[in-house]
Amino acid sequence: AATFLTRTSNDPRSLIIVLRKLADTGHADPSDVLALARAHLSLGEVKMAHRLHDSLSDARKQSAEGLELLAQILRAEGRTVEA
């Protein structure tokens, strides 16, 4: 839903605002949730990124994007061996 914004925005805070509104109104798709998690992660908000990752379906968690996000989260948590 927010593909253009996620590809062009350099401001993670603005991206979070827009994606959160989509999520709160039920209009966010799994790609939006992944982008929201990455934006939180870029601001050092690791716990929020992890919560968003956990909210994804099992299939989405096992996708390439889901696994890459999990690896980024684990690295941010200092769990490089697991990443």
Side-chain angles (χ1 to χ4, degrees):
T3 303
F4 177 77
L5 185 59
T6 58
R7 290 185 181 173
T8 60
S9 178
N10 291 328
D11 179 16
R13 291 187 196 287
S14 295
L15 187 59
I16 288 170
I17 291 168
V18 172
L19 292 173
R20 179 58 60 197
K21 285 182 182 180
L22 282 173
D24 290 347
T25 60
H27 291 95
D29 62 33
S31 295
D32 296 330
V33 176
L34 285 165
L36 181 57
R38 285 191 296 269
H40 278 290
L41 194 57
S42 74
L43 294 174
E45 298 169 355
V46 180
K47 288 182 181 182
M48 178 57 75
H50 211 147
R51 274 188 241 129
L52 288 163
H53 180 270
D54 289 346
S55 76
L56 295 168
S57 69
D58 288 341
R60 196 61 170 186
K61 287 179 194 173
Q62 294 303 314
S63 71
E65 287 180 301
L67 292 171
E68 177 58 33
L69 175 60
L70 180 59
Q72 291 170 346
I73 291 167
L74 292 173
R75 282 193 294 274
E77 292 175 338
R79 298 162 57 185
T80 55
V81 173
E82 295 172 68

